[in-house]
Each structure stands twice: as C-alpha cells, then as structure tokens.
C-alpha cells in the first residue's frame, strides 16, 4: 500500500522500560493516505524501525465504506521488500506489473516480493464498491535479506484454508508467515519470520515462547495483560529476549504476533522504497519519476507520483 514518507515523523511514539518482559511500547499514529482513508501506523517509529524483518506495519480501518465508495490505491512501486496483506473484513483487488490479479478476502494472505522492482495497485472491486463494505486489516512490509534485495519479483496468494490453523482452549491461531507453535506457513519467507493472527476469548492465556530472536504483539481489538500491565488497541509491545511471554485477554481480543531474526544490517526507507543502499533508493526514485517501472496490466491509466 502506498504511504507518505514514514521515517520523518518526529512525534514521540515509544515509551521505554515497561517491565522486565516488555522492552518498548510503540503506540500507533493516524495517517491519512488520501481521500479520508486513515490508517494507524506503528512501524517504522522514531525509536524503533524494525521488529525482526518487519519494517512497516499499518492497521487499515475498521472503516465503513458506503455504497459508491471504495478503496483506490493507484499503481505505485516497491523495491527490496515483501508486502503482506491480511484482512479481517472486506476485500481488496490486487493487480501488479507481473500481470497478477487477485481478490483477497478475510484470512487469506497476499505475499508480494518486490525484489529489484514491482508496481501494484489495490482497489475495491465493482460489487464491493456498488454495495459498500466494512474494511479492516493489516498491511505490513518485510525487509529482504541483502542477498535477495534484487531478486526477481514474485506474487503468491495463499487462501485461508491453506494456512496452519491452531485451536487451543479459548484461543485460535492462524500462522500467516514463517513458523510458530510447531507449524509452518506456506508463505515463501526469505529469513526466519514469526507472524500469527491470534484471537483470544475473555480470560484466555497464550504463551509466546523463545523460538524467535525478536518478538512483539500488536493489539487490534480488546485488551491484553502482559506482566501485570494492560495493552489496548493500537499498542505494539516489543519483548526482551530470554523470556517466555504470557498474554492474558481481557474481553474478546484480536492481536497480531510478529517478529523473527534481526535483518542483516541497516535499512533505509523512503516512501515505498526499502533498501540497504541509499544509492539504490535514489535509483528507484529516478526510475519511477522517469516511468521506467513496468505498467500494471488492467490499471495502466493512473499512478501515484513520487512525493
């Protein structure tokens, strides 16, 4: 999804020293992507850019789109990252410069590896636009290891039925990407990754073990208690290593568990571009400005200009 430049915000967004378990609390900030479509942005933040390979994390909605309204994210470019789209409600039509055309619905995963460069658009389909809909989900980016930053672009869609689904007392878990709780997602990750959709009933508990180097939980709905502190919607709690972490739900709660191995070195980010090289980002800016990225079949008429 297209963004404004995400790493120039100087608003204080993080509170440190929460507990021996929680190393950092990042609170989401509202961002208007245009047309009144507002998201809650959590990563990157002024004090924490990545958690594992996750370098960007937006909550879309929940928003009620009235009949005649729709999501219209015009064609825009990416390099050196993978985009991950996951919905709780609604649907989005994805098109990209590889010729991919895919409607994503709740519980599915759209995974797009930008590599050396790709363009895509995200819009509401005709029926959803005609009837109106509720849209709610998470858009995230995963930074690619240096050896894969210039990989061939790739798009994969994984229906909800193909993802590992784990049921425990009072808890359901869907493994979106990487490994968790003894299961592996079919999503083609390129570094150790931890990404899970968790739903907890009131009073239910869930332990996050030490399998992954970096771990965090983002509260979407409800409330979680961690080490005696309460975490509300829009909060990302990042954990210290070396602890098993117990989550306890207060009310019905939806959360995203995320993390993985630290990425191999610093990453620069400008607009929709991520890279270990500032020079590569400058090249991508020039390529988009000069229309050198391939067009998106079926959506060739519009594009988002370089900011």
């Amino acid at each position: 999804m297209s963004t404004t430049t995400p790493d120039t915000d100087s608003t204080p967004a993080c509170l440190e020293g929460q507990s021996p378990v929680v190393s950092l609390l990042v609170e989401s900030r509202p961002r208007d992507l245009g047309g009144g479509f507002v998201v809650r942005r959590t990563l990157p933040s002024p004090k924490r850019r990545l958690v594992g390979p996750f370098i960007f994390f937006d909550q879309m909605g929940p928003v009620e789109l009235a009949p005649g309204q729709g999501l219209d994210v015009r064609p825009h470019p990416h390099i050196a990252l993978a985009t991950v789209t996951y919905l709780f409600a609604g649907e989005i039509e994805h098109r990209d410069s590889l010729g991919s055309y895919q409607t994503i619905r709740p519980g599915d995963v759209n995974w797009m590896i930008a590599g050396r460069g790709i363009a895509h658009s995200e819009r509401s389909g005709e029926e959803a636009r005609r009837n109106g809909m509720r849209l709610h989900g998470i858009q995230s980016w995963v930074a690619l290891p240096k050896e894969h930053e210039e990989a061939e672009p790739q798009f994969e869609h994984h229906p909800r039925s193909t993802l590992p689904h784990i049921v425990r007392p009072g808890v359901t878990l869907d493994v979106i990407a990487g490994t968790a709780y003894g299961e592996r997602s079919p999503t083609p990750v390129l570094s150790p990754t931890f990404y899970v959709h968790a739903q907890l009933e009131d009073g239910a508990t869930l332990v996050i073990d030490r399998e992954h180097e970096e771990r965090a939980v983002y509260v979407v709905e409800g409330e979680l208690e961690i080490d005696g502190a309460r975490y509300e919607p829009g909060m990302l709690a990042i954990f210290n290593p070396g602890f098993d972490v117990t989550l306890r739900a207060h009310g019905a709660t939806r959360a995203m568990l995320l993390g993985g191995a630290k990425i191999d070195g610093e990453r620069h980010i400008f607009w929709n571009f991520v890279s270990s090289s500032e020079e590569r980002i400058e090249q991508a800016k020039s390529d988009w400005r000069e229309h050198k990225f391939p067009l998106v079949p079926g959506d060739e008429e519009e594009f988002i200009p370089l900011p």
Side-chain angles (χ1 to χ4, degrees):
M1 182 167 288
S2 179
T3 71
T4 55
T5 306
D7 60 343
T8 58
D9 184 349
S10 61
T11 303
C14 306
L15 301 174
E16 299 180 271
Q18 298 301 302
S19 75
V21 173
V22 177
S23 66
L24 199 63
L25 170 64
V26 181
E27 299 187 75
S28 61
R29 302 97 66 202
R31 288 288 179 272
D32 190 334
L33 300 186
F37 189 79
V38 178
V39 299
R40 300 174 75 164
R41 178 154 306 153
T42 310
L43 294 176
S45 82
K47 290 187 178 180
R48 183 71 179 237
R49 183 161 289 192
L50 296 103
V51 177
F54 287 87
I55 195 167
F56 178 90
F57 195 92
D58 266 7
Q59 180 180 339
M60 305 177 287
V63 60
E64 298 291 340
L65 299 175
Q69 293 183 327
L71 177 70
D72 282 299
V73 181
R74 295 166 291 161
H76 58 279
H78 293 289
I79 63 166
L81 56 84
T83 65
V84 196
T85 305
Y86 189 83
L87 297 181
F88 310 125
E91 62 180 49
I92 298 173
E93 288 190 353
H94 164 99
R95 296 179 187 268
D96 63 42
S97 52
L98 299 176
S100 311
Y101 171 62
Q102 179 66 58
T103 300
I104 182 170
R105 296 183 173 88
D108 300 344
V109 176
N110 272 6
W111 178 272
M112 185 182 73
I113 296 176
R116 59 181 174 80
I118 199 168
H120 76 135
S121 64
E122 296 156 297
R123 299 183 186 267
S124 297
E126 290 183 8
E127 183 177 351
R129 194 182 301 272
R130 182 171 58 251
N131 298 328
M133 68 172 177
R134 183 174 188 265
L135 183 63
H136 191 197
I138 301 291
Q139 179 81 35
S140 56
W141 300 350
V142 172
L144 301 182
K146 290 179 182 178
E147 64 177 313
H148 296 294
E149 285 189 311
E150 297 297 319
E152 288 295 315
Q154 177 183 341
F155 174 79
E156 289 194 11
H157 174 80
H158 294 279
R160 180 178 186 174
S161 61
T162 65
L163 301 179
H165 181 71
I166 304 165
V167 179
R168 297 184 172 187
V171 178
T172 61
L173 304 168
D174 295 287
V175 184
I176 300 169
T179 58
Y181 301 100
E183 299 284 353
R184 180 181 295 274
S185 167
T187 308
V189 298
L190 295 171
S191 64
T193 304
F194 171 54
Y195 197 26
V196 177
H197 172 212
Q199 296 179 84
L200 294 80
E201 297 175 3
D202 182 31
T205 60
L206 175 67
V207 175
I208 303 176
D209 64 23
R210 310 175 205 184
E211 175 186 356
H212 293 281
E213 183 179 10
E214 297 192 339
R215 305 157 300 159
V217 62
Y218 177 81
V219 182
V220 180
E221 298 169 333
E223 189 176 90
L224 288 175
E225 180 182 338
I226 307 167
D227 197 29
R230 300 282 188 97
Y231 296 83
E232 299 176 346
M235 292 182 174
L236 178 77
I238 302 172
F239 305 127
N240 283 313
F243 293 91
D244 287 347
V245 180
T246 300
L247 313 178
R248 180 179 297 276
H250 290 269
T253 299
R254 184 193 305 273
M256 306 298 282
L257 318 180
L258 62 145
K262 289 182 180 178
I263 204 68
D264 54 349
E266 184 180 3
R267 291 297 184 272
H268 306 282
I269 182 168
F270 171 83
W271 192 41
N272 301 308
F273 302 134
V274 167
S275 179
S276 59
S277 163
E278 291 183 283
E279 291 77 12
R280 181 66 181 89
I281 287 181
E282 290 302 313
Q283 182 62 55
K285 290 162 64 175
S286 176
D287 289 345
W288 185 248
R289 190 184 297 115
E290 297 173 14
H291 306 286
K292 292 182 178 179
F293 276 78
L295 295 174
V296 176
D299 203 347
E300 299 98 335
E301 300 302 318
E302 296 185 301
F303 67 95
I304 300 177
L306 189 78

